[in-house]
Amino acid sequence: MSDLLKISGIETFYGHSQALFGVDLQVNEGEVVALMGRNGMGKTTTIASICGLEKYSAGSASFKGIDLGPLPSHKIARLGIGLVPEGRRCFPNLTVYENLIAAARPGDWTLDRVNALFPRLQERYDQYANTLSGGEQQMLAVGRALMTNPTLLILDEATEGLAPVIRQEIWQAVRDLKAAGQSILIVDKTLSELLPIADRCVILEKGTTVWTGSPDQLTRDLENRYLGV
Ligand code: ATP
């Protein structure tokens, strides 16, 4: 398996305030990697640093062997990184259909395939995104990212705040994506759903990678130390 995304020792600041102090992370082709850690430990900042939404000031990040450091976020997206950001930001004043085709790029993911994954979206094609329920907006955010035909899909808290039945639909979609060989970097607090699909876990503590391993190596002690409340 070749490495798709490789991050070594990245450090990221918000103004004068340092959020990342050395994050190491790798996603190989076809892998699902869970990025874990308590609130405020740097998961979203790591994702923002990968996607060029925040610039890291030290360390290195490469995708398909290409250095991400100098690239603006739209160029990073075009390399094949599809982000479903925390807070599921869809274009509120575009319809479901318009949201889906806005960022579409050629590839295996087409409207038909997104509709098969989330049949509810097709039923709401002409609705404006801001009239959808939270769960539908999340499906739209995932569908929109897939329409860019990403080599790597990044999901940041995709099930947060959703009703249980909708969460199950999102998790089923993630399992289907994994089965189809999609490479995924995922942040989610529901360990009981996350761990069964993860090939590897990366734990952040205070902006630093403190542990990497497979889900079956994640002991109760590690969970208590790094993931407990
Ligand atoms: P959560 O699970 O709560 O989303 P997280 O692990 O994703 O947490 P980050 O959101 O990356 O953590 O936050 C890492 C650190 O950076 C925290 O100390 C946070 O307060 C700080 N931080 C995050 N966003 C900003 C910002 N826009 N400006 C300043 N500091 C920020």
PDB file of all heavy atoms in Angstrom, residues 144-181:
ATOM      1  N   ARG A 144     -21.572  16.305  -1.856  1.00  0.00           N
ATOM      2  CA  ARG A 144     -20.860  17.343  -2.600  1.00  0.00           C
ATOM      3  C   ARG A 144     -19.366  17.050  -2.633  1.00  0.00           C
ATOM      4  O   ARG A 144     -18.704  17.205  -3.652  1.00  0.00           O
ATOM      5  CB  ARG A 144     -21.117  18.692  -1.932  1.00  0.00           C
ATOM      6  CG  ARG A 144     -20.960  19.843  -2.864  1.00  0.00           C
ATOM      7  CD  ARG A 144     -21.180  21.126  -2.143  1.00  0.00           C
ATOM      8  NE  ARG A 144     -20.369  21.176  -0.937  1.00  0.00           N
ATOM      9  CZ  ARG A 144     -20.190  22.265  -0.225  1.00  0.00           C
ATOM     10  NH1 ARG A 144     -20.796  23.380  -0.566  1.00  0.00           N
ATOM     11  NH2 ARG A 144     -19.439  22.244   0.847  1.00  0.00           N
ATOM     12  N   ALA A 145     -18.829  16.603  -1.505  1.00  0.00           N
ATOM     13  CA  ALA A 145     -17.400  16.258  -1.475  1.00  0.00           C
ATOM     14  C   ALA A 145     -17.119  15.075  -2.411  1.00  0.00           C
ATOM     15  O   ALA A 145     -16.114  15.061  -3.123  1.00  0.00           O
ATOM     16  CB  ALA A 145     -16.969  15.930  -0.044  1.00  0.00           C
ATOM     17  N   LEU A 146     -18.026  14.102  -2.439  1.00  0.00           N
ATOM     18  CA  LEU A 146     -17.816  12.941  -3.325  1.00  0.00           C
ATOM     19  C   LEU A 146     -17.875  13.337  -4.799  1.00  0.00           C
ATOM     20  O   LEU A 146     -17.171  12.767  -5.633  1.00  0.00           O
ATOM     21  CB  LEU A 146     -18.844  11.848  -3.028  1.00  0.00           C
ATOM     22  CG  LEU A 146     -18.668  11.149  -1.687  1.00  0.00           C
ATOM     23  CD1 LEU A 146     -19.863  10.251  -1.394  1.00  0.00           C
ATOM     24  CD2 LEU A 146     -17.370  10.335  -1.663  1.00  0.00           C
ATOM     25  N   MET A 147     -18.719  14.329  -5.113  1.00  0.00           N
ATOM     26  CA  MET A 147     -18.841  14.779  -6.510  1.00  0.00           C
ATOM     27  C   MET A 147     -17.542  15.386  -7.038  1.00  0.00           C
ATOM     28  O   MET A 147     -17.370  15.528  -8.240  1.00  0.00           O
ATOM     29  CB  MET A 147     -19.987  15.796  -6.640  1.00  0.00           C
ATOM     30  CG  MET A 147     -21.371  15.183  -6.525  1.00  0.00           C
ATOM     31  SD  MET A 147     -21.790  14.074  -7.882  1.00  0.00           S
ATOM     32  CE  MET A 147     -22.043  15.236  -9.223  1.00  0.00           C
ATOM     33  N   THR A 148     -16.633  15.757  -6.130  1.00  0.00           N
ATOM     34  CA  THR A 148     -15.325  16.248  -6.587  1.00  0.00           C
ATOM     35  C   THR A 148     -14.409  15.068  -6.928  1.00  0.00           C
ATOM     36  O   THR A 148     -13.274  15.270  -7.333  1.00  0.00           O
ATOM     37  CB  THR A 148     -14.629  17.121  -5.521  1.00  0.00           C
ATOM     38  OG1 THR A 148     -14.209  16.297  -4.424  1.00  0.00           O
ATOM     39  CG2 THR A 148     -15.534  18.231  -5.016  1.00  0.00           C
ATOM     40  N   ASN A 149     -14.924  13.855  -6.727  1.00  0.00           N
ATOM     41  CA  ASN A 149     -14.139  12.637  -6.963  1.00  0.00           C
ATOM     42  C   ASN A 149     -12.796  12.655  -6.243  1.00  0.00           C
ATOM     43  O   ASN A 149     -11.728  12.573  -6.878  1.00  0.00           O
ATOM     44  CB  ASN A 149     -13.987  12.396  -8.467  1.00  0.00           C
ATOM     45  CG  ASN A 149     -15.180  11.627  -8.984  1.00  0.00           C
ATOM     46  OD1 ASN A 149     -15.314  10.424  -8.732  1.00  0.00           O
ATOM     47  ND2 ASN A 149     -16.101  12.317  -9.635  1.00  0.00           N
ATOM     48  N   PRO A 150     -12.845  12.774  -4.918  1.00  0.00           N
ATOM     49  CA  PRO A 150     -11.611  12.873  -4.142  1.00  0.00           C
ATOM     50  C   PRO A 150     -10.887  11.535  -4.032  1.00  0.00           C
ATOM     51  O   PRO A 150     -11.524  10.488  -3.909  1.00  0.00           O
ATOM     52  CB  PRO A 150     -12.120  13.302  -2.762  1.00  0.00           C
ATOM     53  CG  PRO A 150     -13.477  12.692  -2.662  1.00  0.00           C
ATOM     54  CD  PRO A 150     -14.041  12.729  -4.065  1.00  0.00           C
ATOM     55  N   THR A 151      -9.569  11.598  -4.070  1.00  0.00           N
ATOM     56  CA  THR A 151      -8.790  10.398  -3.764  1.00  0.00           C
ATOM     57  C   THR A 151      -8.848  10.163  -2.259  1.00  0.00           C
ATOM     58  O   THR A 151      -8.885   9.028  -1.799  1.00  0.00           O
ATOM     59  CB  THR A 151      -7.321  10.595  -4.195  1.00  0.00           C
ATOM     60  OG1 THR A 151      -7.304  11.192  -5.475  1.00  0.00           O
ATOM     61  CG2 THR A 151      -6.576   9.279  -4.250  1.00  0.00           C
ATOM     62  N   LEU A 152      -8.845  11.260  -1.508  1.00  0.00           N
ATOM     63  CA  LEU A 152      -8.956  11.187  -0.044  1.00  0.00           C
ATOM     64  C   LEU A 152     -10.164  12.009   0.395  1.00  0.00           C
ATOM     65  O   LEU A 152     -10.284  13.181   0.035  1.00  0.00           O
ATOM     66  CB  LEU A 152      -7.693  11.754   0.614  1.00  0.00           C
ATOM     67  CG  LEU A 152      -7.729  11.871   2.141  1.00  0.00           C
ATOM     68  CD1 LEU A 152      -7.771  10.491   2.793  1.00  0.00           C
ATOM     69  CD2 LEU A 152      -6.535  12.661   2.654  1.00  0.00           C
ATOM     70  N   LEU A 153     -11.044  11.360   1.140  1.00  0.00           N
ATOM     71  CA  LEU A 153     -12.202  12.063   1.698  1.00  0.00           C
ATOM     72  C   LEU A 153     -11.911  12.337   3.168  1.00  0.00           C
ATOM     73  O   LEU A 153     -11.485  11.435   3.905  1.00  0.00           O
ATOM     74  CB  LEU A 153     -13.446  11.175   1.562  1.00  0.00           C
ATOM     75  CG  LEU A 153     -14.755  11.747   2.101  1.00  0.00           C
ATOM     76  CD1 LEU A 153     -15.216  12.944   1.264  1.00  0.00           C
ATOM     77  CD2 LEU A 153     -15.848  10.674   2.098  1.00  0.00           C
ATOM     78  N   ILE A 154     -12.122  13.579   3.599  1.00  0.00           N
ATOM     79  CA  ILE A 154     -11.903  13.925   5.003  1.00  0.00           C
ATOM     80  C   ILE A 154     -13.245  14.288   5.630  1.00  0.00           C
ATOM     81  O   ILE A 154     -13.953  15.173   5.137  1.00  0.00           O
ATOM     82  CB  ILE A 154     -10.918  15.108   5.144  1.00  0.00           C
ATOM     83  CG1 ILE A 154      -9.575  14.766   4.491  1.00  0.00           C
ATOM     84  CG2 ILE A 154     -10.733  15.463   6.622  1.00  0.00           C
ATOM     85  CD1 ILE A 154      -8.507  15.850   4.626  1.00  0.00           C
ATOM     86  N   LEU A 155     -13.599  13.580   6.686  1.00  0.00           N
ATOM     87  CA  LEU A 155     -14.878  13.813   7.371  1.00  0.00           C
ATOM     88  C   LEU A 155     -14.602  14.319   8.777  1.00  0.00           C
ATOM     89  O   LEU A 155     -14.010  13.614   9.599  1.00  0.00           O
ATOM     90  CB  LEU A 155     -15.672  12.500   7.472  1.00  0.00           C
ATOM     91  CG  LEU A 155     -16.056  11.814   6.158  1.00  0.00           C
ATOM     92  CD1 LEU A 155     -16.557  10.395   6.428  1.00  0.00           C
ATOM     93  CD2 LEU A 155     -17.127  12.621   5.436  1.00  0.00           C
ATOM     94  N   ASP A 156     -15.010  15.557   9.066  1.00  0.00           N
ATOM     95  CA  ASP A 156     -14.776  16.139  10.398  1.00  0.00           C
ATOM     96  C   ASP A 156     -16.104  16.185  11.157  1.00  0.00           C
ATOM     97  O   ASP A 156     -16.949  17.030  10.864  1.00  0.00           O
ATOM     98  CB  ASP A 156     -14.172  17.541  10.257  1.00  0.00           C
ATOM     99  CG  ASP A 156     -13.641  18.076  11.586  1.00  0.00           C
ATOM    100  OD1 ASP A 156     -13.794  17.400  12.621  1.00  0.00           O
ATOM    101  OD2 ASP A 156     -13.078  19.190  11.585  1.00  0.00           O
ATOM    102  N   GLU A 157     -16.276  15.277  12.090  1.00  0.00           N
ATOM    103  CA  GLU A 157     -17.475  15.234  12.941  1.00  0.00           C
ATOM    104  C   GLU A 157     -18.763  15.184  12.113  1.00  0.00           C
ATOM    105  O   GLU A 157     -19.703  15.946  12.362  1.00  0.00           O
ATOM    106  CB  GLU A 157     -17.536  16.467  13.859  1.00  0.00           C
ATOM    107  CG  GLU A 157     -16.294  16.689  14.686  1.00  0.00           C
ATOM    108  CD  GLU A 157     -16.353  16.069  16.070  1.00  0.00           C
ATOM    109  OE1 GLU A 157     -17.211  15.171  16.285  1.00  0.00           O
ATOM    110  OE2 GLU A 157     -15.539  16.459  16.916  1.00  0.00           O
ATOM    111  N   ALA A 158     -18.788  14.266  11.150  1.00  0.00           N
ATOM    112  CA  ALA A 158     -19.917  14.225  10.213  1.00  0.00           C
ATOM    113  C   ALA A 158     -21.229  13.786  10.863  1.00  0.00           C
ATOM    114  O   ALA A 158     -22.293  14.008  10.297  1.00  0.00           O
ATOM    115  CB  ALA A 158     -19.591  13.303   9.039  1.00  0.00           C
ATOM    116  N   THR A 159     -21.167  13.155  12.016  1.00  0.00           N
ATOM    117  CA  THR A 159     -22.424  12.677  12.620  1.00  0.00           C
ATOM    118  C   THR A 159     -22.825  13.499  13.847  1.00  0.00           C
ATOM    119  O   THR A 159     -23.838  13.202  14.484  1.00  0.00           O
ATOM    120  CB  THR A 159     -22.313  11.189  13.049  1.00  0.00           C
ATOM    121  OG1 THR A 159     -21.379  11.082  14.127  1.00  0.00           O
ATOM    122  CG2 THR A 159     -21.873  10.310  11.899  1.00  0.00           C
ATOM    123  N   GLU A 160     -22.052  14.539  14.139  1.00  0.00           N
ATOM    124  CA  GLU A 160     -22.309  15.295  15.366  1.00  0.00           C
ATOM    125  C   GLU A 160     -23.671  15.993  15.334  1.00  0.00           C
ATOM    126  O   GLU A 160     -24.049  16.614  14.338  1.00  0.00           O
ATOM    127  CB  GLU A 160     -21.214  16.342  15.562  1.00  0.00           C
ATOM    128  CG  GLU A 160     -21.241  16.956  16.945  1.00  0.00           C
ATOM    129  CD  GLU A 160     -20.085  17.915  17.160  1.00  0.00           C
ATOM    130  OE1 GLU A 160     -19.689  18.608  16.210  1.00  0.00           O
ATOM    131  OE2 GLU A 160     -19.586  17.956  18.290  1.00  0.00           O
ATOM    132  N   GLY A 161     -24.393  15.878  16.413  1.00  0.00           N
ATOM    133  CA  GLY A 161     -25.638  16.614  16.570  1.00  0.00           C
ATOM    134  C   GLY A 161     -26.805  16.089  15.743  1.00  0.00           C
ATOM    135  O   GLY A 161     -27.823  16.763  15.619  1.00  0.00           O
ATOM    136  N   LEU A 162     -26.662  14.898  15.162  1.00  0.00           N
ATOM    137  CA  LEU A 162     -27.743  14.383  14.323  1.00  0.00           C
ATOM    138  C   LEU A 162     -28.587  13.362  15.084  1.00  0.00           C
ATOM    139  O   LEU A 162     -28.118  12.721  16.022  1.00  0.00           O
ATOM    140  CB  LEU A 162     -27.165  13.721  13.071  1.00  0.00           C
ATOM    141  CG  LEU A 162     -26.300  14.624  12.183  1.00  0.00           C
ATOM    142  CD1 LEU A 162     -25.780  13.839  10.987  1.00  0.00           C
ATOM    143  CD2 LEU A 162     -27.083  15.841  11.725  1.00  0.00           C
ATOM    144  N   ALA A 163     -29.830  13.206  14.645  1.00  0.00           N
ATOM    145  CA  ALA A 163     -30.721  12.214  15.258  1.00  0.00           C
ATOM    146  C   ALA A 163     -30.147  10.815  15.009  1.00  0.00           C
ATOM    147  O   ALA A 163     -29.520  10.573  13.977  1.00  0.00           O
ATOM    148  CB  ALA A 163     -32.104  12.331  14.636  1.00  0.00           C
ATOM    149  N   PRO A 164     -30.370   9.889  15.961  1.00  0.00           N
ATOM    150  CA  PRO A 164     -29.768   8.559  15.848  1.00  0.00           C
ATOM    151  C   PRO A 164     -30.026   7.861  14.514  1.00  0.00           C
ATOM    152  O   PRO A 164     -29.120   7.264  13.939  1.00  0.00           O
ATOM    153  CB  PRO A 164     -30.416   7.781  17.000  1.00  0.00           C
ATOM    154  CG  PRO A 164     -30.778   8.827  18.004  1.00  0.00           C
ATOM    155  CD  PRO A 164     -31.097  10.072  17.227  1.00  0.00           C
ATOM    156  N   VAL A 165     -31.239   7.962  13.988  1.00  0.00           N
ATOM    157  CA  VAL A 165     -31.551   7.247  12.746  1.00  0.00           C
ATOM    158  C   VAL A 165     -30.751   7.821  11.579  1.00  0.00           C
ATOM    159  O   VAL A 165     -30.290   7.100  10.689  1.00  0.00           O
ATOM    160  CB  VAL A 165     -33.087   7.235  12.491  1.00  0.00           C
ATOM    161  CG1 VAL A 165     -33.642   8.634  12.362  1.00  0.00           C
ATOM    162  CG2 VAL A 165     -33.440   6.411  11.267  1.00  0.00           C
ATOM    163  N   ILE A 166     -30.547   9.135  11.604  1.00  0.00           N
ATOM    164  CA  ILE A 166     -29.771   9.788  10.540  1.00  0.00           C
ATOM    165  C   ILE A 166     -28.292   9.443  10.697  1.00  0.00           C
ATOM    166  O   ILE A 166     -27.581   9.199   9.718  1.00  0.00           O
ATOM    167  CB  ILE A 166     -29.957  11.320  10.597  1.00  0.00           C
ATOM    168  CG1 ILE A 166     -31.422  11.707  10.512  1.00  0.00           C
ATOM    169  CG2 ILE A 166     -29.138  12.007   9.504  1.00  0.00           C
ATOM    170  CD1 ILE A 166     -32.037  11.474   9.167  1.00  0.00           C
ATOM    171  N   ARG A 167     -27.829   9.405  11.953  1.00  0.00           N
ATOM    172  CA  ARG A 167     -26.426   9.019  12.186  1.00  0.00           C
ATOM    173  C   ARG A 167     -26.160   7.647  11.581  1.00  0.00           C
ATOM    174  O   ARG A 167     -25.131   7.418  10.970  1.00  0.00           O
ATOM    175  CB  ARG A 167     -26.132   8.945  13.691  1.00  0.00           C
ATOM    176  CG  ARG A 167     -26.223  10.275  14.393  1.00  0.00           C
ATOM    177  CD  ARG A 167     -26.303  10.056  15.896  1.00  0.00           C
ATOM    178  NE  ARG A 167     -25.024   9.670  16.442  1.00  0.00           N
ATOM    179  CZ  ARG A 167     -24.238  10.478  17.130  1.00  0.00           C
ATOM    180  NH1 ARG A 167     -24.597  11.726  17.343  1.00  0.00           N
ATOM    181  NH2 ARG A 167     -23.102  10.065  17.600  1.00  0.00           N
ATOM    182  N   GLN A 168     -27.128   6.749  11.767  1.00  0.00           N
ATOM    183  CA  GLN A 168     -26.951   5.405  11.217  1.00  0.00           C
ATOM    184  C   GLN A 168     -26.834   5.435   9.697  1.00  0.00           C
ATOM    185  O   GLN A 168     -26.066   4.675   9.116  1.00  0.00           O
ATOM    186  CB  GLN A 168     -28.116   4.490  11.643  1.00  0.00           C
ATOM    187  CG  GLN A 168     -27.994   4.000  13.062  1.00  0.00           C
ATOM    188  CD  GLN A 168     -26.570   3.521  13.375  1.00  0.00           C
ATOM    189  OE1 GLN A 168     -25.963   2.775  12.613  1.00  0.00           O
ATOM    190  NE2 GLN A 168     -26.008   3.980  14.493  1.00  0.00           N
ATOM    191  N   GLU A 169     -27.608   6.321   9.068  1.00  0.00           N
ATOM    192  CA  GLU A 169     -27.526   6.423   7.599  1.00  0.00           C
ATOM    193  C   GLU A 169     -26.149   6.918   7.176  1.00  0.00           C
ATOM    194  O   GLU A 169     -25.582   6.457   6.184  1.00  0.00           O
ATOM    195  CB  GLU A 169     -28.610   7.364   7.066  1.00  0.00           C
ATOM    196  CG  GLU A 169     -29.981   6.731   7.043  1.00  0.00           C
ATOM    197  CD  GLU A 169     -31.011   7.613   6.359  1.00  0.00           C
ATOM    198  OE1 GLU A 169     -30.752   8.138   5.254  1.00  0.00           O
ATOM    199  OE2 GLU A 169     -32.104   7.789   6.947  1.00  0.00           O
ATOM    200  N   ILE A 170     -25.625   7.894   7.932  1.00  0.00           N
ATOM    201  CA  ILE A 170     -24.292   8.425   7.591  1.00  0.00           C
ATOM    202  C   ILE A 170     -23.238   7.328   7.806  1.00  0.00           C
ATOM    203  O   ILE A 170     -22.373   7.106   6.948  1.00  0.00           O
ATOM    204  CB  ILE A 170     -23.945   9.658   8.465  1.00  0.00           C
ATOM    205  CG1 ILE A 170     -24.995  10.759   8.309  1.00  0.00           C
ATOM    206  CG2 ILE A 170     -22.522  10.156   8.146  1.00  0.00           C
ATOM    207  CD1 ILE A 170     -24.872  11.636   7.108  1.00  0.00           C
ATOM    208  N   TRP A 171     -23.326   6.613   8.934  1.00  0.00           N
ATOM    209  CA  TRP A 171     -22.336   5.554   9.191  1.00  0.00           C
ATOM    210  C   TRP A 171     -22.414   4.460   8.124  1.00  0.00           C
ATOM    211  O   TRP A 171     -21.394   3.924   7.698  1.00  0.00           O
ATOM    212  CB  TRP A 171     -22.521   4.948  10.593  1.00  0.00           C
ATOM    213  CG  TRP A 171     -21.912   5.800  11.667  1.00  0.00           C
ATOM    214  CD1 TRP A 171     -22.571   6.437  12.687  1.00  0.00           C
ATOM    215  CD2 TRP A 171     -20.528   6.115  11.835  1.00  0.00           C
ATOM    216  NE1 TRP A 171     -21.687   7.134  13.466  1.00  0.00           N
ATOM    217  CE2 TRP A 171     -20.425   6.957  12.971  1.00  0.00           C
ATOM    218  CE3 TRP A 171     -19.366   5.796  11.145  1.00  0.00           C
ATOM    219  CZ2 TRP A 171     -19.205   7.460  13.420  1.00  0.00           C
ATOM    220  CZ3 TRP A 171     -18.156   6.295  11.582  1.00  0.00           C
ATOM    221  CH2 TRP A 171     -18.079   7.117  12.709  1.00  0.00           C
ATOM    222  N   GLN A 172     -23.644   4.131   7.703  1.00  0.00           N
ATOM    223  CA  GLN A 172     -23.768   3.113   6.649  1.00  0.00           C
ATOM    224  C   GLN A 172     -23.095   3.590   5.370  1.00  0.00           C
ATOM    225  O   GLN A 172     -22.410   2.819   4.689  1.00  0.00           O
ATOM    226  CB  GLN A 172     -25.255   2.786   6.393  1.00  0.00           C
ATOM    227  CG  GLN A 172     -25.456   1.609   5.450  1.00  0.00           C
ATOM    228  CD  GLN A 172     -24.698   0.355   5.900  1.00  0.00           C
ATOM    229  OE1 GLN A 172     -24.824  -0.074   7.049  1.00  0.00           O
ATOM    230  NE2 GLN A 172     -23.875  -0.217   5.011  1.00  0.00           N
ATOM    231  N   ALA A 173     -23.277   4.889   5.073  1.00  0.00           N
ATOM    232  CA  ALA A 173     -22.626   5.438   3.873  1.00  0.00           C
ATOM    233  C   ALA A 173     -21.105   5.350   4.012  1.00  0.00           C
ATOM    234  O   ALA A 173     -20.413   4.989   3.058  1.00  0.00           O
ATOM    235  CB  ALA A 173     -23.067   6.891   3.660  1.00  0.00           C
ATOM    236  N   VAL A 174     -20.581   5.643   5.209  1.00  0.00           N
ATOM    237  CA  VAL A 174     -19.122   5.574   5.403  1.00  0.00           C
ATOM    238  C   VAL A 174     -18.646   4.132   5.233  1.00  0.00           C
ATOM    239  O   VAL A 174     -17.612   3.872   4.605  1.00  0.00           O
ATOM    240  CB  VAL A 174     -18.719   6.134   6.795  1.00  0.00           C
ATOM    241  CG1 VAL A 174     -17.218   5.983   7.021  1.00  0.00           C
ATOM    242  CG2 VAL A 174     -19.122   7.597   6.935  1.00  0.00           C
ATOM    243  N   ARG A 175     -19.417   3.174   5.753  1.00  0.00           N
ATOM    244  CA  ARG A 175     -19.040   1.760   5.576  1.00  0.00           C
ATOM    245  C   ARG A 175     -19.062   1.366   4.096  1.00  0.00           C
ATOM    246  O   ARG A 175     -18.183   0.653   3.621  1.00  0.00           O
ATOM    247  CB  ARG A 175     -19.962   0.850   6.400  1.00  0.00           C
ATOM    248  CG  ARG A 175     -19.677   0.914   7.898  1.00  0.00           C
ATOM    249  CD  ARG A 175     -20.427  -0.171   8.659  1.00  0.00           C
ATOM    250  NE  ARG A 175     -21.845   0.100   8.736  1.00  0.00           N
ATOM    251  CZ  ARG A 175     -22.438   0.771   9.726  1.00  0.00           C
ATOM    252  NH1 ARG A 175     -21.734   1.217  10.753  1.00  0.00           N
ATOM    253  NH2 ARG A 175     -23.733   0.972   9.720  1.00  0.00           N
ATOM    254  N   ASP A 176     -20.069   1.870   3.368  1.00  0.00           N
ATOM    255  CA  ASP A 176     -20.150   1.580   1.926  1.00  0.00           C
ATOM    256  C   ASP A 176     -18.942   2.170   1.193  1.00  0.00           C
ATOM    257  O   ASP A 176     -18.386   1.545   0.292  1.00  0.00           O
ATOM    258  CB  ASP A 176     -21.436   2.170   1.318  1.00  0.00           C
ATOM    259  CG  ASP A 176     -22.687   1.433   1.792  1.00  0.00           C
ATOM    260  OD1 ASP A 176     -22.550   0.357   2.405  1.00  0.00           O
ATOM    261  OD2 ASP A 176     -23.801   1.950   1.551  1.00  0.00           O
ATOM    262  N   LEU A 177     -18.549   3.382   1.621  1.00  0.00           N
ATOM    263  CA  LEU A 177     -17.397   4.032   0.973  1.00  0.00           C
ATOM    264  C   LEU A 177     -16.128   3.239   1.239  1.00  0.00           C
ATOM    265  O   LEU A 177     -15.313   3.025   0.351  1.00  0.00           O
ATOM    266  CB  LEU A 177     -17.238   5.470   1.494  1.00  0.00           C
ATOM    267  CG  LEU A 177     -18.331   6.452   1.073  1.00  0.00           C
ATOM    268  CD1 LEU A 177     -18.188   7.773   1.824  1.00  0.00           C
ATOM    269  CD2 LEU A 177     -18.275   6.697  -0.428  1.00  0.00           C
ATOM    270  N   LYS A 178     -15.982   2.792   2.482  1.00  0.00           N
ATOM    271  CA  LYS A 178     -14.798   1.987   2.816  1.00  0.00           C
ATOM    272  C   LYS A 178     -14.783   0.702   1.970  1.00  0.00           C
ATOM    273  O   LYS A 178     -13.747   0.330   1.417  1.00  0.00           O
ATOM    274  CB  LYS A 178     -14.791   1.636   4.304  1.00  0.00           C
ATOM    275  CG  LYS A 178     -13.605   0.742   4.695  1.00  0.00           C
ATOM    276  CD  LYS A 178     -13.670   0.347   6.155  1.00  0.00           C
ATOM    277  CE  LYS A 178     -12.754  -0.815   6.474  1.00  0.00           C
ATOM    278  NZ  LYS A 178     -11.385  -0.450   6.782  1.00  0.00           N
ATOM    279  N   ALA A 179     -15.946   0.056   1.871  1.00  0.00           N
ATOM    280  CA  ALA A 179     -16.022  -1.192   1.095  1.00  0.00           C
ATOM    281  C   ALA A 179     -15.673  -0.954  -0.369  1.00  0.00           C
ATOM    282  O   ALA A 179     -15.152  -1.838  -1.043  1.00  0.00           O
ATOM    283  CB  ALA A 179     -17.424  -1.791   1.216  1.00  0.00           C
ATOM    284  N   ALA A 180     -15.955   0.275  -0.841  1.00  0.00           N
ATOM    285  CA  ALA A 180     -15.644   0.600  -2.240  1.00  0.00           C
ATOM    286  C   ALA A 180     -14.177   1.006  -2.410  1.00  0.00           C
ATOM    287  O   ALA A 180     -13.755   1.361  -3.509  1.00  0.00           O
ATOM    288  CB  ALA A 180     -16.563   1.719  -2.728  1.00  0.00           C
ATOM    289  N   GLY A 181     -13.410   0.983  -1.296  1.00  0.00           N
ATOM    290  CA  GLY A 181     -11.971   1.265  -1.392  1.00  0.00           C
ATOM    291  C   GLY A 181     -11.604   2.725  -1.237  1.00  0.00           C
ATOM    292  O   GLY A 181     -10.463   3.112  -1.493  1.00  0.00           O
TER     293      GLY A 181
END
